[in-house]
Amino acid sequence: MIPYSNLFFFYVIGLILLPGILLGVMEKRLKLYGLLASLLIIGLLFSDSKLQLFCLVLFYLGELFLVKGYSFLRQKYSQRWILWLAVLLALLPLALSKWGHLFTDRFLGFLGISYLTFKVVQMLLEISDGLIKEVRLLDFTYFLLFFPTLSSGPIDRSRRFLDEVNQIIPRDEYLHRVYLGLRKLLLGAGYKFIIGNIIYIYWLSKIPTEAYDLVETVKYMYGYSFYLFFDFAGYSLMAIGISYILGVRTPENFNKPFISKDIKDFWNRWHMTLSFWFRDYLYTRFVMASMKKKRFKNRYTASYLGYLLTMGTMGIWHGTEIYYILYGLYHGVLIISTDYFQRHSTLYKKYKNYPLWTAASTLITFNLVCFGFLIFSGYLFK
């Protein structure tokens, strides 16, 4: 069973959510039921792939031992190398899923391993920062295996998630969340199954699968960009909607990204939970460490290298193919160029608040973004 892909999945979800809705209306805490529902859904999702289920169980046990072990060690030892060792060990299963094909013809991973890995690394970093004082078994399990966001995000933060699920929601507030959840669920279904399918059937499927000429390539670039948005935003909205019904206000993932005024604005609107995760846990930490250790004379050098490191890593996270890496570096260069232009251009400082400038900037950004998606699609490399 593939998440959010067919009517049978939603039929199963509906049956599972009904008791949860009843508990919510009765003002009961939904945490335990949500965990049981997550375990049940996971069992159904991996019923056709025992190997993936086995990998998920091993991943869960290994990461639980790692997080609990580091939480214990952090209370006695503050050396940073212990943290980095823990982070590397947490990333090891993801690395095997990405590069395991070099050693075996079997897929050494499972659906959603990337998103679960982000959750674990976030917890390790915040344990190191002293923001997470204790890791409870039930809390860790529910946060890690929360089924609506298992396969495709959005990426939540553990402290926000656990603060919410450990509260009892008043009936009126819970019913409002159910209402909002159903709206998001229906909107997401419309995005994916109606608009996304229309774009694919009447646009993308009409284009040759290889880049034969410029006109076909441009048509594919725009078609793929719109299809990717409506498909992925649809997934995210459905996941958020089901989360709301379970009482969890999972963060939004998209905010009208195609009207972004520049590339920095775009990454504040596109796959927001991913870009904010990289901003907080990679870019900011790299820049702050570089400034503290005085690695570079100019603070902008640290910032620009941080952008390249962050976006390059994001590209590799999507996959090991060259077009994913180029996609990440492409956006890193765009962000650096945008920042440099905005700081040094007298034209920008003079006209940035003019409607015509904003319109032109939005149009340019849209086309730059679409070209990035063309790289991301791999169409140019067939």
Side-chain angles (χ1 to χ4, degrees):
M1 185 170 64
I2 302 174
Y4 310 107
S5 63
N6 53 48
L7 288 175
F8 178 70
F9 175 82
F10 291 101
Y11 172 73
V12 173
I13 291 297
L15 292 178
I16 290 176
L17 287 179
L18 284 176
I21 294 174
L22 180 60
L23 290 172
V25 171
M26 295 171 61
E27 297 188 335
K28 303 295 184 181
R29 189 177 285 114
L30 292 170
K31 178 179 172 182
L32 182 58
Y33 182 80
L35 174 58
L36 294 175
S38 294
L39 296 176
L40 177 59
I41 289 294
I42 287 171
L44 293 173
L45 289 177
F46 296 103
S47 59
D48 295 331
S49 179
K50 298 299 189 293
L51 178 60
Q52 285 201 39
L53 181 59
F54 177 72
C55 289
L56 172 58
V57 172
L58 281 183
F59 175 88
Y60 164 76
L61 293 174
E63 303 295 338
L64 172 64
F65 176 80
L66 187 62
V67 171
K68 294 281 284 185
Y70 180 69
S71 179
F72 173 77
L73 290 174
R74 179 64 181 82
Q75 298 175 19
K76 298 184 177 182
Y77 308 101
S78 60
Q79 289 89 336
R80 298 292 286 179
W81 69 267
I82 302 177
L83 169 65
W84 301 130
L85 177 61
V87 170
L88 287 174
L89 290 174
L91 291 171
L92 182 59
L94 178 59
L96 288 175
S97 75
K98 298 290 186 182
W99 290 288
H101 63 277
L102 299 176
F103 310 102
T104 178
D105 57 354
R106 292 194 173 191
F107 175 61
L108 299 176
F110 54 88
L111 181 71
I113 186 172
S114 298
Y115 292 96
L116 269 60
T117 301
F118 276 127
K119 290 182 178 182
V120 173
V121 172
Q122 173 255 312
M123 291 190 72
L124 290 172
L125 292 172
E126 293 199 348
I127 290 170
S128 174
D129 293 341
L131 299 174
I132 297 176
K133 304 294 185 181
E134 182 181 7
V135 179
R136 296 188 177 94
L137 175 63
L138 188 63
D139 287 346
F140 174 83
T141 304
Y142 191 30
F143 171 64
L144 190 68
L145 302 181
F146 185 60
F147 83 84
T149 61
L150 180 73
S151 62
S152 57
I155 306 168
D156 210 343
R157 307 292 176 91
S158 60
R159 287 183 294 133
R160 195 214 68 80
F161 177 88
L162 295 174
D163 180 64
E164 201 160 70
V165 300
N166 284 313
Q167 295 179 6
I168 295 177
I169 308 171
R171 182 180 295 107
D172 290 344
E173 169 63 20
Y174 175 71
L175 289 174
H176 183 61
R177 292 190 194 184
V178 171
Y179 165 72
L180 293 176
L182 290 174
R183 280 187 56 184
K184 293 175 184 296
L185 185 59
L186 291 173
L187 181 60
Y191 272 23
K192 177 174 173 56
F193 298 117
I194 298 177
I195 301 177
N197 279 345
I198 289 174
I199 292 173
Y200 180 81
I201 294 171
Y202 296 103
W203 190 338
L204 279 181
S205 65
K206 306 294 184 182
I207 301 173
T209 56
E210 296 181 359
Y212 288 110
D213 58 51
L214 179 60
V215 173
E216 297 295 339
T217 300
V218 171
K219 287 166 60 178
Y220 184 88
M221 178 179 78
Y222 291 118
Y224 179 80
S225 297
F226 284 116
Y227 172 77
L228 183 64
F229 167 72
F230 284 107
D231 185 74
F232 194 13
Y235 267 111
S236 294
L237 278 170
M238 289 187 285
I240 294 169
I242 294 175
S243 299
Y244 269 58
I245 296 172
L246 286 170
V248 179
R249 292 171 295 187
T250 294
E252 298 293 329
N253 220 15
F254 294 90
N255 180 23
K256 302 174 183 176
F258 290 142
I259 64 169
S260 304
K261 293 183 291 184
D262 56 52
I263 293 297
K264 291 189 289 184
D265 186 32
F266 171 77
W267 282 108
N268 286 327
R269 295 172 176 268
W270 176 271
H271 206 343
M272 295 184 291
T273 59
L274 176 69
S275 61
F276 295 167
W277 193 99
F278 274 104
R279 177 198 66 191
D280 295 343
Y281 298 112
L282 182 55
Y283 171 79
T284 301
R285 289 169 185 268
F286 172 81
V287 172
M288 290 180 64
S290 297
M291 293 176 64
K292 182 178 180 180
K293 297 179 180 180
K294 299 181 179 179
R295 293 170 179 161
F296 312 104
K297 293 181 180 180
N298 191 321
R299 63 188 178 95
Y300 291 111
T301 302
S303 178
Y304 292 164
L305 288 176
Y307 284 135
L308 285 176
L309 172 65
T310 301
M311 301 310 295
T313 304
M314 186 183 293
I316 295 173
W317 172 76
H318 282 97
T320 56
E321 290 80 359
I322 184 63
Y323 44 85
Y324 290 134
I325 300 171
L326 290 176
Y327 168 77
L329 294 176
Y330 168 78
H331 270 279
V333 171
L334 286 183
I335 294 173
I336 292 170
S337 302
T338 299
D339 183 80
Y340 186 87
F341 174 77
Q342 291 178 349
R343 287 193 301 105
H344 291 89
S345 172
T346 54
L347 284 175
Y348 173 78
K349 294 175 182 177
K350 183 177 180 180
Y351 296 109
K352 65 179 181 178
N353 293 321
Y354 283 58
L356 185 60
W357 180 279
T358 301
S361 177
T362 301
L363 181 62
I364 292 170
T365 301
F366 170 72
N367 283 278
L368 291 173
V369 165
C370 289
F371 182 72
F373 286 141
L374 179 64
I375 298 173
F376 179 85
S377 72
Y379 186 77
L380 299 175
F381 299 84
K382 295 179 180 178

